[in-house]
Amino acid sequence: MYRAYNTAMAADDTTVLDRLLGPDFTLTHMTGYVQPRAEWLRELDQGTMRYFASEEEHVTMQPTAAGWQLVGQNRVTASIHGSGKYAWPLNTEMVIQQVAGNWQIMSAVVTTY
């Protein structure tokens, strides 16, 4: 799921992301802004947030009582809100749980490393 998320993000593929993300998914950006699912997908569709590449460096997963806690480090190249095209070393902490029998990403908290 983590790899599919990063691949879809880099391809601006909101159809795949729509399937992967839980209904109440939130993305906490490295700025601290907590972005609701619909707003993030809309910004991807509109090109306001444009991702170009995501290169995986390290991933760990731990089971929890409700599903999985995942921590991954990727180098992500993006242009956000009209900024230039930059590469950031991003640490993403994800919560993955089952919703109506399907595994979905419930949240992603992104910081730099």
Side-chain angles (χ1 to χ4, degrees):
M1 290 192 78
Y2 175 74
R3 289 182 179 131
Y5 167 92
N6 281 299
T7 299
M9 185 179 70
D12 296 321
D13 190 339
T14 55
T15 301
V16 169
L17 288 169
D18 187 54
R19 286 194 308 266
L20 293 172
L21 305 179
D24 296 323
F25 170 84
T26 58
L27 172 60
T28 304
H29 293 275
M30 62 185 178
T31 61
Y33 176 63
V34 179
Q35 189 169 36
R37 176 190 198 278
E39 181 182 310
W40 185 53
L41 293 176
R42 186 172 51 251
E43 287 203 50
L44 287 171
D45 280 336
Q46 294 171 346
T48 310
M49 300 188 96
R50 178 79 172 91
Y51 299 92
F52 300 98
S54 180
E55 297 176 31
E56 183 178 308
E57 293 188 342
H58 184 73
V59 179
T60 60
M61 291 182 66
Q62 296 292 326
T64 67
W68 294 91
Q69 176 75 31
L70 180 143
V71 178
Q73 287 89 37
N74 283 43
R75 295 222 173 247
V76 176
T77 304
S79 174
I80 306 299
H81 298 144
S83 72
K85 187 175 173 181
Y86 297 103
W88 286 282
L90 298 182
N91 185 81
T92 303
E93 295 184 24
M94 283 185 175
V95 173
I96 300 170
Q97 297 176 344
Q98 277 195 326
V99 177
N102 297 309
W103 288 101
Q104 293 191 308
I105 302 167
M106 306 309 292
S107 64
V109 177
V110 178
T111 57
T112 57
Y113 67 96

